[in-house]
Amino acid sequence: MHVLADASMPLVNELADALTAQGVGLTLTTFQGRQPQPELLAQADALMIRSITKVDSQLLAQAPKLRWLGTATIGTEHVDTAACKAAGVAFVSTPGVNANAVGDYVASAVSNFALQCQQLPSGEVAIIGAGHTGRAAGQRLSGLGFIVHYYDPPLAEQGVKGVHADWQRVLNSGVISCHVPLTQAGTHATYHLFDSAAIAALPADCLLINASRGAVVEEQGLRQAMQAQQPLHVVLDVWEHEPTIAADLMPWLLYATPHIAGHSVAGKVAGTLRLFEHVCETLLITQQRVRLPQLSQLLEHWPEATRKRQWQTLQAPTWQMLASWVRDIYDIRNDDQLLRQNAFTEADFDRLRRNYAARAELSCGEVHGNDWLAQSEWQERLAQLTFSFKFIQEQ
């Protein structure tokens, strides 16, 4: 079996070697850049990609042997699933693998903004999309002390508890974070969900975060808000015309990053591992039983990104302490600065993503405290932030 994989996927060679060491007949070839070369596609039985690779009928025509396609991402809009089905190519995605990283990204954006303003943003938090990443973001903001609600009309129609379809409640919220796939048809299409009218209707000093898909927030609507000097704070990790970014918006944006919200080390490695697990389950099902390393074992390659960060307090933490702890582990300002310091070309955008530094997750945080830790409220809030905790004896 010939597997063609994006070279930027961490440990892709090591996982392939783990299978070949067990006698699996597997040959791995990697490709650089957004699209694999035709000569590589011609030999591929399986293809592993990330969100930057567009798979359509044209690409599939260059891969006559292809029978399996996997993306190490939750999003699937870069793949023409109908074309895959017509070509007899099985397709899998990896929902949830980077949810913790995206949740951490949103928590860092809100924490940094609050510390900068010396107060938490007022009003409720609206999470748009109650899937893996939306829930992760909402849980962390609940841990910071916010009242969080989830807007998800498709789930509300299915009778799922804890979600709603009240768009006006979203527009009245003080913090809004987007976590939806990009869809352009149907009753609940998300393309330009935040168009110029919706953006103009946001309350003063609203914090709008988009870490889902670029065209969910209309960039022209943001330009109108910027030109009108609307009191709005916007965080963009995704861009409507990637890898081209809206350079004219950069001075106005609160934080801007190169589509890296889900790029923690654990999230990226989990995506690679999940694809190899799918290969073993589907393509190797009639062959020998094989074993892959555990995620914790693979993460040992990045000790600095997985080491424990510890904090101690003998009193229940303030919101400032919680926000500072979030920032200690992941500081969105560093990624914002890197993007602003580089020329805004497509090559620069891809280079920043390809060379992204190893990033820890909030679950590396460990809080040491005394009696206040016995309160169920604080145990729940620390768990929402994915921090662990230990009791200490007061001196």
Side-chain angles (χ1 to χ4, degrees), residues 90-173:
F91 171 61
V92 298
S93 60
T94 54
V97 293
N98 65 351
N100 287 330
V102 176
D104 294 352
Y105 177 94
V106 172
S108 182
V110 175
S111 294
N112 273 287
F113 179 60
L115 290 169
Q116 175 184 319
C117 298
Q118 298 183 2
Q119 63 180 11
L120 288 173
S122 60
E124 296 182 319
V125 170
I127 300 294
I128 314 299
H132 294 288
T133 60
R135 291 289 184 182
Q139 288 168 4
R140 284 154 179 76
L141 297 186
S142 293
L144 285 172
F146 289 94
I147 297 175
V148 177
H149 61 95
Y150 296 87
Y151 174 82
D152 197 317
L155 292 184
E157 290 177 355
Q158 297 172 26
V160 175
K161 294 182 179 180
V163 300
H164 68 86
D166 185 350
W167 183 241
Q168 190 57 50
R169 186 180 180 186
V170 172
L171 296 181
N172 291 340
S173 298

Side-chain angles (χ1 to χ4, degrees), residues 113 117 204-209 230-235 252 254:
F113 179 60
C117 298
D205 292 320
C206 176
L207 175 59
L208 175 63
I209 304 169
Q230 182 177 346
L232 183 63
H233 311 282
V234 179
V235 178
W252 181 70
L254 176 65

Side-chain angles (χ1 to χ4, degrees), residues 214-266:
V216 169
V217 176
E218 181 187 19
E219 288 181 358
Q220 187 55 36
L222 293 179
R223 289 188 179 91
Q224 293 175 14
M226 176 180 65
Q227 292 162 3
Q229 297 184 347
Q230 182 177 346
L232 183 63
H233 311 282
V234 179
V235 178
L236 292 185
D237 179 57
V238 288
W239 306 81
E240 188 167 353
H241 304 290
E242 287 184 20
T244 300
I245 67 172
D248 60 314
L249 289 175
M250 291 289 287
W252 181 70
L253 296 174
L254 176 65
Y255 303 120
T257 54
H259 201 155
I260 48 74
H263 275 34
S264 69
V265 166

